[in-house]
Structures are given as structure tokens and as C-alpha cells.
Amino acid sequence: MPDAGSEDFLVHRELLFSIVYNMLGTVADTEDVVQETWLSWAAVQDKEIAHPRAYLVRIAVNHALTQMRRARRSRESYIGPWLPEPVLTEPDTPDTAIRTESVSLAMLVVLETLTPLQRAVFVLREAFAYDHGEIAAILGRSPAAVRQLAHRAKERVEARRPRYDLDRGTQRIVTERFLDAAIGGDLDALMDVLAPEVVMWSDGGGKRRAALRVIEGREKVARLVAAVSAQLPTFSVRLVRINGGPGAVLFIGGTLYAAAVFDPAPGGERVRGIYGLINPDKLERLAAAVPPPAERLAP
């Protein structure tokens, strides 16, 4: 039977996981930080902790900040564009912690442009509704400094990704339109479904063939998608929810080969962002959770 200290940790584990994942964007690093948090917590269990949740969040956030700085240095040698690790957010899946406060993959990409402190403040403030005083206590900063960090982070994020809301039905329709055009290699249909300012990220991590830079503009993206579709062998596709947004996974020979997340433009008629994940290291979690569909498609 777990003791009181263990129970406190287990009660808040999902919250810790969700906060840290939104700061780091990788499941493996998040699990490492949560484990480090447990070790730090276990070391003080014999002491009287008045507010276990606040104490645990403070430990986790500060461990995450250290990991963020290490990760940014290691990504300098990453081959091609780096994307966060996708997580399945379908109902009744194991990723309940992340699903509780989902941050879209597109938003996680934008958060990569913030400093570690700005990102920590933004995640705590915007995703988890902590006030400036609470964040100041977590980070060991003054409330005035936190307000400045929050203002700069929000300003930078909104400049790159203005807020708008689309219902799931609209998101699914535009996703299906894009997939129909892509599978058929229909260049005209692709041009119609893509926004003029569309960007396409392709993360192969040097382990699978992928574009080594972000592709921008409707014509370039349409031609690349049509060319890739024409080169694929027989494959199958399953629509899923990834990081709370519309996505799809592609299977070749029953093996999950790629995942894609689609960022609809305001209005929901076109796609303005395509985030393709081909690096097998980032697909292990999806591969374990998503079975291939029965039907197969040919490009």
C-alpha cells in the first residue's frame, strides 16, 4: 500500500506530465523529468510539506527548464526541421495527461521560438491558468518579472499564431479534402485546398528521407505532396486526433510509416500548416496505439 508521500505524487503525476510535455515537446524527456521529480520528492517525504501540488510543480518545472537548455544545444546538430513528438489524443487512449490540457502540434512549434523562461511562463499562464504570483513562486522570480515574461511570450506567440476556434467537424472536412487530393495526386485539388501561405515541415531526423528545410508557399507544397504521393507504394491511412487536432497516420505493409498533423486556416476552408513526422523514433508511441485500417490505398 503506497504511503502518503507516494499518494501525493500519484495524484498529481498527470498534471506534472502535461505541464512538462508542453514545455519540452518530447515524451521520453518528459518521462525523465517526471522521474527526476519523483526522486526529488522522495528525498523530502519525511518533511512536512504544506502544499504538495505547488511543491511538485515547482520541482518539475525547474527540472524541465534544465532539460530544455540541454535539448536546445543537442538540436543544433539535428538533421532537417525538428518537430515535437506527437501524441494520440483520441478518447480512451493512454495519453489522458496530455489530453487534459492539449497544446496543438502547431502551437508547440511556435513555442520553440520562446526562451525557456518565456515558454515556462506561457505554458503555466495560458494552458494551466496559474496567476503571476504563483508562477513567480515556482520560478523564484518577482511577479513584475513574470508579468514582463508573460507579456513578451504572449506577444510573440500571437504574432506567429493568432487565436481562432474551429469545430471538429470543420477540421475533419478540410483534412479529408486534403487527403483526397494528396492520395489522388491531384495538383489542382491540392492548390485549391492549400492556403497561399501554407508551410510544410518534414521531420525525418536523418533516419528517413525528408525535406531538409521547411517548404513555404502553395505551389511548392502542392508539387512536393503530389510527387511524394506518386512515389509511395500501396499504403493505407487512418484519421486520428493528434495533440488535440486533426491528423492522419500512414501505414505501408501494415507498419506505421508516417504521421501528419494539419493546421487549418481561419475559416476552415484550407490548410495552412502540414507537419509531417517520419522519424521512426518519434512514431513508436503512435505505432503502439494505432492499428492499421483494413483497406489499402494506391497513389
Side-chain angles (χ1 to χ4, degrees):
M1 184 174 181
D3 57 30
S6 298
E7 287 182 353
D8 282 331
F9 180 81
L10 292 173
V11 164
H12 300 300
R13 188 185 187 283
E14 290 190 355
L15 171 67
L16 302 177
F17 195 100
S18 189
I19 290 173
V20 174
Y21 172 78
N22 288 334
M23 288 177 63
L24 300 179
T26 60
V27 173
D29 286 344
T30 296
E31 289 174 340
D32 287 345
V33 167
V34 172
Q35 178 63 18
E36 289 175 359
T37 302
W38 160 247
L39 294 174
S40 297
W41 173 251
V44 299
Q45 280 193 43
D46 59 338
K47 299 179 181 179
E48 187 76 19
I49 305 296
H51 303 288
R53 171 176 164 145
Y55 190 89
L56 284 164
V57 169
R58 180 166 64 83
I59 295 172
V61 167
N62 283 282
H63 279 316
L65 284 168
T66 299
Q67 178 58 34
M68 285 172 71
R69 296 181 180 106
R70 288 198 297 258
R72 293 199 171 190
R73 287 194 296 270
S74 68
R75 285 177 201 160
E76 292 175 1
S77 59
Y78 196 82
I79 299 174
W82 182 92
L83 287 175
E85 182 179 351
V87 290
L88 188 69
T89 49
E90 299 278 285
D92 303 320
T93 59
D95 293 311
T96 54
I98 303 166
R99 188 170 66 245
T100 301
E101 295 291 347
S102 294
V103 171
S104 72
L105 204 84
M107 177 60 82
L108 288 176
V109 170
V110 173
L111 295 186
E112 285 291 314
T113 66
L114 303 180
T115 68
L117 275 175
Q118 286 174 343
R119 183 164 180 169
V121 170
F122 185 90
V123 166
L124 290 168
R125 177 74 177 158
E126 300 299 325
F128 295 92
Y130 280 79
D131 64 36
H132 294 124
E134 291 171 317
I135 299 171
I138 290 168
L139 298 177
R141 304 272 170 151
S142 69
V146 167
R147 287 192 192 92
Q148 188 174 51
L149 285 164
H151 174 73
R152 289 177 178 173
K154 190 172 183 179
E155 190 174 57
R156 182 173 291 184
V157 168
E158 291 186 350
R160 289 164 172 77
R161 186 173 171 77
R163 291 190 175 184
Y164 65 96
D165 292 318
L166 291 176
D167 63 81
R168 286 195 176 191
T170 301
Q171 292 178 356
R172 186 179 180 91
I173 289 170
V174 71
T175 298
E176 290 177 341
R177 284 182 59 214
F178 171 80
L179 289 173
D180 287 344
I183 291 168
D186 188 332
L187 196 58
D188 289 338
L190 282 167
M191 292 288 285
D192 186 56
V193 76
L194 295 173
E197 72 279 12
V198 65
V199 294
M200 181 175 177
W201 296 63
S202 183
D203 180 348
K207 299 190 175 183
R208 284 180 177 161
R209 186 177 179 183
L212 295 179
R213 59 182 179 83
V214 177
I215 308 300
E216 301 182 22
R218 179 161 51 192
E219 184 172 348
K220 289 180 180 178
V221 171
R223 292 189 182 279
L224 178 59
V225 169
V228 169
S229 178
Q231 293 170 8
L232 287 174
T234 301
F235 62 88
S236 55
V237 174
R238 182 184 290 277
L239 290 175
V240 292
R241 299 285 296 181
I242 295 175
N243 288 73
V249 288
L250 182 149
F251 293 85
I252 296 177
T255 299
L256 195 151
Y257 180 80
V261 176
F262 306 100
D263 184 22
E269 296 179 356
R270 290 188 170 92
V271 172
R272 68 173 181 178
I274 304 167
Y275 302 88
L277 290 123
I278 313 167
N279 185 341
D281 294 344
K282 295 185 179 181
L283 297 175
E284 290 180 358
R285 196 174 181 89
L286 285 182
V290 184
E295 72 278 8
R296 293 191 176 184
L297 306 169

